[in-house]
């Protein structure tokens, strides 16, 4: 009896592919990681704690988004790709566990896990692109430029103190330089739908963190009218934030990326998703802190720090979408910009009022944005809802 040759499965993704279960499993670790980042600013919304949270979140974000680039090019049904993803998940778990003490006793452990997880992603990327010289060259350039960032993270984790701030800040600089230099190559061959879906899932992860906070408070505290009202308003706010990203923005970004090719698509994917989604997501982390504070003190007036965080978080997230849309389509979402500014200003300046009033002001502003973008036609250029600056 003749043994039939086993069919060879390519490790390089030929076409756009749906998000795999291995990728979703990988993302679960980052749900926990974002929870840990929010806890870095728990009770202390000042420059030191917010700065630490931003530094750590960049590393968490960059580890995730680099791996998403690698899996975008990979056949995620291939067994070795799945095994590599599971290995990276295990390493990312230890990175997430180390976040609360990433500027203390666990700084080196965090740095080692971060570098280990990113290294797995780069190894997968180099391996799957071995049959495509152009892509492999682009990945090799990015990997080479990333080594300086790896070293800076390890040194910062080892020495700690003020050196850690400088080293990790330098690592961010190296990461951005690597993205700018290597990301403009026409050989990346990004799959637009998969890439958009992966980053959309991360937005859901960040939004889900606020629901976890609200649910935890309601399940652990005595249910009174104030707590239930603040909980309902918090859930409503989070649903509105979901709406203003996923109702039209996500599709517009994906369509813009799909309409490009070669170097233009690579640069757009880098700018819109890898770089500009970071501040957008920082807004959600700051917003999550505000919701946490609101749930802890539902009966009194919102503290100045919580009120500033609420206004700033909503502003950064909504305007972040405006900026990504501008980069992708050349259109300024002027009505959204104006309403967001007015909402954030109202939340910030209207102080000495009950917590639920502050949340209600924010909710009304977001509902106005949702209603406006529901009734305005999709073709923004033709009907004047967006200002084309290209």
């Amino acid at each position: 009896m003749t043994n039939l040759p086993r069919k060879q499965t390519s490790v390089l993704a030929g076409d756009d592919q749906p998000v795999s279960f291995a990728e979703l499993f990988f993302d679960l670790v980052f749900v926990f990681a974002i929870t840990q980042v929010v806890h870095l600013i728990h009770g202390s919304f000042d420059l030191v704690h917010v700065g630490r949270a931003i530094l750590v979140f960049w590393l968490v974000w960059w580890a995730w988004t680099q791996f998403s680039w690698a899996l975008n090019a990979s056949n995620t049904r291939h067994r070795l790709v799945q095994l590599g993803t599971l290995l990276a998940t295990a390493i990312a778990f230890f990175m997430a566990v180390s976040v609360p003490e990433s500027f203390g006793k666990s700084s080196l452990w965090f740095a080692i896990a971060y570098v280990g997880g990113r290294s797995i992603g780069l190894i997968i990327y180099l391996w799957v692109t071995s049959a495509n010289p152009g892509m492999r060259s682009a990945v090799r350039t990015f990997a080479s430029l990333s080594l300086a960032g790896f070293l800076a993270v390890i040194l910062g984790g080892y020495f700690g103190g003020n050196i850690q701030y400088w080293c990790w800040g330098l690592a961010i600089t190296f990461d951005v330089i690597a993205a700018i230099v290597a990301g403009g190559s026409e050989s990346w061959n990004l799959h637009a739908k998969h890439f958009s879906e992966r980053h959309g899932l991360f937005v859901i992860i960040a939004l889900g963190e606020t629901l976890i906070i609200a649910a935890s408070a309601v399940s652990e505290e005595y249910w009174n009218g104030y707590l239930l009202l603040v909980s309902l308003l918090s859930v409503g706010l989070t649903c509105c934030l979901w709406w203003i990203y996923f109702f039209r923005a996500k599709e517009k970004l994906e369509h813009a990326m799909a309409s490009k090719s070669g170097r233009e698509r690579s640069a757009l994917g880098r700018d819109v998703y890898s770089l500009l989604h970071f501040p957008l997501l920082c807004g959600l982390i700051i917003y999550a802190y505000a919701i946490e504070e609101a749930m802890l003190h539902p009966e009194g007036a919102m503290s100045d720090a919580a009120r500033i965080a609420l206004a700033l978080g909503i502003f950064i997230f909504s305007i972040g979408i405006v900026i990504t849309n501008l980069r992708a389509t050349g259109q300024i979402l002027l009505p959204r910009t104006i309403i967001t500014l007015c909402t954030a200003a109202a939340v910030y300046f209207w102080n000495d009022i009950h917590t639920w009033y502050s949340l209600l002001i924010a909710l009304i502003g977001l509902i106005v944005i949702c209603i406006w973008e529901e009734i305005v036609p999709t073709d923004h250029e033709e009907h004047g809802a967006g200002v084309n600056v290209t």
Side-chain angles (χ1 to χ4, degrees):
M1 181 176 178
T2 304
N3 291 325
L4 295 175
R6 188 175 180 178
K7 183 179 179 180
Q8 297 296 315
T9 304
S10 172
V11 296
L12 190 65
D15 299 308
D16 231 330
Q17 58 188 343
V19 173
S20 67
F21 291 117
E23 291 171 282
L24 293 174
F25 188 65
F26 177 74
D27 289 351
L28 288 177
V29 176
F30 290 86
V31 176
F32 180 53
I34 290 180
T35 301
Q36 300 282 69
V37 171
V38 174
H39 288 166
L40 278 177
I41 53 177
H42 177 71
S44 302
F45 192 73
D46 54 36
L47 289 176
V48 173
H49 289 83
V50 173
R52 287 179 178 179
I54 290 174
L55 282 174
V56 171
F57 182 53
W58 171 270
L59 299 179
V60 170
W61 164 252
W62 206 245
W64 180 88
T65 194
Q66 180 212 273
F67 210 88
S68 293
W69 279 71
L71 294 183
N72 184 263
S74 307
N75 176 5
T76 53
R77 293 172 297 176
H78 195 284
R79 290 292 178 261
L80 292 181
V81 172
Q82 292 176 337
L83 285 173
T85 304
L86 293 178
L87 177 59
T89 302
I91 294 173
F93 169 79
F94 289 100
M95 179 184 70
V97 168
S98 304
V99 166
E101 291 293 331
S102 55
F103 284 87
K105 61 184 180 181
S106 299
S107 60
L108 184 57
W109 284 111
F110 176 89
I112 291 172
Y114 165 78
V115 171
R118 282 199 58 188
S119 297
I120 295 296
L122 289 175
I123 290 170
I124 291 175
Y125 217 163
L126 289 167
W127 172 53
V128 301
T129 58
S130 58
N132 187 316
M135 289 183 69
R136 185 176 178 83
S137 176
V139 175
R140 188 185 293 115
T141 299
F142 176 78
S144 300
L145 293 171
S146 296
L147 294 178
F150 287 4
L151 179 60
V153 171
I154 293 293
L155 289 175
Y158 178 78
F159 287 107
N162 290 331
I163 294 177
Q164 183 176 353
Y165 291 100
W166 286 104
C167 285
W168 285 13
L170 189 61
I172 292 176
T173 304
F174 286 139
D175 288 339
V176 173
I177 291 173
I180 291 173
V181 173
S185 172
E186 61 182 12
S187 303
W188 288 103
N189 193 28
L190 287 177
H191 304 298
K193 184 175 181 180
H194 178 269
F195 204 68
S196 171
E197 187 173 356
R198 293 292 292 125
H199 287 79
L201 287 171
F202 201 96
V203 174
I204 289 179
I205 289 173
L207 286 168
E209 167 58 22
T210 62
L211 295 180
I212 292 171
I213 289 172
S216 298
V218 172
S219 62
E220 294 174 3
E221 302 293 336
Y222 173 75
W223 289 21
N224 59 31
Y226 285 117
L227 180 60
L228 290 176
L229 181 57
V230 168
S231 300
L232 287 171
L233 290 170
S234 299
V235 173
L237 276 167
T238 303
C239 290
C240 286
L241 291 175
W242 179 95
W243 187 274
I244 66 175
Y245 180 87
F246 286 97
F247 174 60
R248 280 189 184 157
K250 180 183 177 297
E251 285 188 14
K252 287 170 68 68
L253 298 179
E254 181 182 329
H255 177 75
M257 186 174 172
S259 67
K260 307 294 184 182
S261 61
R263 181 178 289 106
E264 287 185 336
R265 179 179 290 189
S266 302
L268 195 63
R270 174 199 64 201
D271 296 345
V272 168
Y273 290 102
S274 297
L275 296 178
L276 291 178
H277 264 59
F278 174 70
L280 183 152
L281 290 162
C282 283
L284 289 181
I285 287 179
I286 294 171
Y287 164 76
Y289 163 80
I291 295 301
E292 184 177 39
E293 289 297 301
M295 300 301 294
L296 290 174
H297 309 286
E299 297 182 4
M302 220 173 191
S303 67
D304 290 342
R307 200 179 68 258
I308 292 170
L310 179 62
L312 188 61
I314 291 173
F315 175 82
I316 293 174
F317 180 72
S318 183
I319 297 301
I321 297 173
V322 172
I323 294 172
T324 57
N325 184 80
L326 176 63
R327 171 62 182 91
T329 68
Q331 295 175 346
I332 299 175
L333 302 178
L334 192 57
R336 175 184 290 206
T337 302
I338 294 172
I339 298 169
T340 300
L341 283 169
C342 292
T343 302
V347 171
Y348 175 73
F349 288 109
W350 203 342
N351 55 10
D352 294 327
I353 58 174
H354 202 285
T355 295
W356 73 269
Y357 278 117
S358 296
L359 295 176
L360 181 61
I361 292 169
L363 180 60
I364 291 172
L366 291 179
I367 288 175
V368 171
I369 293 175
C370 294
I371 292 175
W372 174 268
E373 296 185 352
E374 169 70 27
I375 62 177
V376 169
T378 302
D379 188 353
H380 286 192
E381 291 184 7
E382 180 179 346
H383 296 281
V387 178
N388 197 318
V389 298
T390 56

